[in-house]
Amino acid sequence: MQKIKQSLPLQIFIALGLGIVAGLIFLSAGENAVAFTVSYIKPIGTIFLNLLKFIVVPIVITSIVQGVVSLSDIKKVGTIGLRTIIYYFCTTAIAITIGLIFANLFKGTYKVLQTSDLAYEAAEPTSFMDTIVNIFPSNLFQPMVDSSMLQIIVIAIFVGFGIIIAGEKSQAFKEWIDSCYEVFMVIMKGIIKVTPIAVFCLITPVVAENGPAVLGSLAMVLLTAYLAYFTHALITYSIAVKTLGHMDPIKFIKGAFPAFLFAFSSTSSIATLPVSLECAEKMGARRDVASFTLPLGATINMDGTAIYQGVCAIFIASCFGIQLTFGQMLTIVLTATLASVGTAGTPGAGMIMLAMVLQSVGLPVEGIALVAGVDRIFDMGRTGINVVGDLSAAVIVSDYETRREAREGKKAAAEA
Ligand code: ASP
């Protein structure tokens, strides 16, 4: 009992199990009981998600500003940023490749669904240049109001640079940011303490609404996606944190587990950010690095989403009787990697971007309607993996920075 009281991951895990059991009970109790979970249990989960979303913006701004200032060198910020982005792109490309391999292995087991009366309206795609332009804010407050993470990151980096360059004169402003950080951190820790309740309230209605019968014909596609998610998490990240981050993979998996569970229940990388920051800190990642890599990852790094897009593309192709060529699969790797940058860390965003992936190889966008009904189930796993991927970067880049500083320190000592 003492152990449960002390361990948040354990509490979250138990809450998840209880939520699944409760969901099944409500499901078996009939329609009214399911409606009850949606009307009265789900809103409690939504309140927690709202609180996390409210706290995430001030936490990200203040922690990135602090991170940039503590690096005290504009070039260093650039190097960390570049390394993180390269790592994110490489792991996403590996993720989608794993997704495609699994989907090709399992495609024979998929139940071919009717495609004759499908309808799905794809959102207007944003061009690559527009995506770049949209990273830069035209207003100081709008990005905070809209929780546009990339724009918020840019603002925070500029403010950090401003503090470094203004030197002495920026002292009061810097202290104010430090103080804000402490205040928001206290609030965040308070909100995180009630995460198990949130997890229970989020998962119960999902299970009640998506009973086993709904999964039926899509069970094999879901299984493929989950196998690929876990293969990527257990193999790619383990190798990456071991070889690049010099961390025991078991320690990493254990450390990232609470964030995984929360992402799984909330289906939002952005809302999971406060939990991820806490996990990174507990795993020994540097705060200056984690506060930069995690928000960036929550916005542009979506390995789970890429896997899902690969698996769904193959499934939709087989329902339409289309055989994808090797060249088309390479195109999927490329577009899904780029699409992940444009995918917001919010529930269901990956499904919207699936349209772009399908269009890139000429697959019918209406096919999305085949998987839309169970998107939440795909989303739970993919968001979990997205967040674990972000944490792996925090660990690896932290280790790299610490080693680099040690090397530079030695060099400076030898020169002195
Ligand atoms: N829900 C995912 C996330 O927040 C994005 C997606 O829908 O794939 O990371």
Side-chain angles (χ1 to χ4, degrees):
M1 205 60 204
Q2 195 60 20
K3 206 176 157 206
I4 298 179
K5 264 195 189 154
Q6 280 166 1
S7 162
L8 185 67
L10 199 59
Q11 289 171 11
I12 299 180
F13 193 63
I14 293 171
L16 189 73
L18 290 177
I20 293 173
V21 174
L24 291 173
I25 296 173
F26 279 110
L27 175 71
S28 60
E31 251 173 53
N32 285 345
V34 173
F36 173 83
T37 66
V38 178
S39 311
Y40 296 102
I41 298 184
K42 198 173 172 182
I44 303 175
T46 312
I47 292 177
F48 286 99
L49 284 185
N50 287 349
L51 288 177
L52 284 172
K53 284 185 203 152
F54 124 73
I55 201 69
V56 82
V57 171
I59 288 282
V60 166
I61 295 188
T62 51
S63 59
I64 292 187
V65 172
Q66 282 188 330
V68 172
V69 174
S70 71
L71 290 170
S72 68
D73 178 349
I74 295 175
K75 225 174 89 202
K76 239 192 272 175
V77 179
T79 322
I80 294 186
L82 196 67
R83 266 173 218 286
T84 310
I85 291 172
I86 292 175
Y87 175 79
Y88 282 152
F89 274 125
C90 292
T91 47
T92 306
I94 295 173
I96 168 99
T97 309
I98 293 177
L100 287 173
I101 293 174
F102 271 91
N104 278 300
L105 283 177
F106 281 85
K107 72 177 176 198
T109 64
Y110 297 158
K111 195 165 164 205
V112 176
L113 302 180
Q114 260 302 341
T115 54
S116 48
D117 43 33
L118 291 179
Y120 181 85
E121 190 82 39
E124 201 48 46
T126 331
S127 77
F128 180 70
M129 277 325 281
D130 282 347
T131 310
I132 302 286
V133 170
N134 286 342
I135 294 176
F136 298 92
S138 59
N139 180 298
L140 179 61
F141 300 107
Q142 201 58 42
M144 300 180 210
V145 173
D146 299 338
S147 294
S148 312
M149 269 315 150
L150 280 182
Q151 297 191 348
I152 290 175
I153 293 172
V154 170
I155 291 175
I157 292 176
F158 272 116
V159 172
F161 286 167
I163 293 177
I164 296 174
I165 296 167
E168 270 294 294
K169 285 190 195 138
S170 63
Q171 202 51 31
F173 184 70
K174 186 184 163 295
E175 275 165 18
W176 178 71
I177 294 268
D178 289 346
S179 163
C180 286
Y181 175 82
E182 294 306 327
V183 172
F184 290 122
M185 215 47 193
V186 170
I187 303 175
M188 185 185 95
K189 292 210 159 131
I191 299 173
I192 286 181
K193 277 207 182 108
V194 282
T195 325
I197 301 173
V199 167
F200 177 86
C201 297
L202 289 167
I203 214 76
T204 302
V206 173
V207 175
E209 276 187 298
N210 300 277
V214 185
L215 307 182
S217 50
L218 287 164
M220 282 316 290
V221 192
L222 282 163
L223 183 71
T224 314
Y226 273 84
L227 281 175
Y229 291 155
F230 286 116
T231 306
H232 184 60
L234 296 178
I235 298 182
T236 315
Y237 297 145
S238 292
I239 295 177
V241 294
K242 177 86 197 148
T243 54
L244 304 173
H246 305 93
M247 182 185 268
D248 175 18
I250 308 277
K251 181 180 170 202
F252 172 73
I253 289 167
K254 268 193 185 159
F257 202 50
F260 172 85
L261 289 179
F262 192 77
F264 185 82
S265 325
S266 67
T267 62
S268 170
S269 301
I270 299 280
T272 310
L273 253 180
V275 186
S276 314
L277 282 163
E278 178 119 332
C279 288
E281 197 181 308
K282 288 219 170 101
M283 277 192 278
R286 291 165 53 139
R287 210 182 74 195
D288 54 353
V289 174
S291 63
F292 178 68
T293 49
L294 292 177
L296 186 67
T299 333
I300 69 161
N301 181 49
M302 308 274 163
D303 292 0
T305 305
I307 291 176
Y308 149 85
Q309 289 171 340
V311 170
C312 287
I314 301 283
F315 169 66
I316 291 168
S318 53
C319 286
F320 280 91
I322 300 169
Q323 190 72 31
L324 292 177
T325 62
F326 185 68
Q328 282 176 309
M329 297 215 205
L330 279 185
T331 310
I332 293 182
V333 172
L334 195 73
T335 36
T337 306
L338 292 177
S340 70
V341 180
T343 308
T346 52
M351 192 178 77
I352 298 166
M353 295 308 277
L354 176 60
M356 177 176 148
V357 176
L358 295 180
Q359 276 165 342
S360 73
V361 287
L363 284 172
V365 174
E366 307 84 82
I368 296 179
L370 294 172
V371 286
V374 289
D375 187 60
R376 178 67 192 237
I377 317 284
F378 280 116
D379 201 1
M380 295 196 297
R382 65 182 191 241
T383 311
I385 300 304
N386 291 345
V387 164
V388 178
D390 302 342
L391 279 165
S392 71
V395 165
I396 290 168
V397 180
S398 280
D399 181 74
Y400 179 84
E401 267 309 293
T402 308
R403 278 167 197 275
R404 195 184 54 78
E405 279 178 7
R407 267 197 315 271
E408 276 179 6
K410 263 193 204 152
K411 218 163 100 193
E415 278 166 11

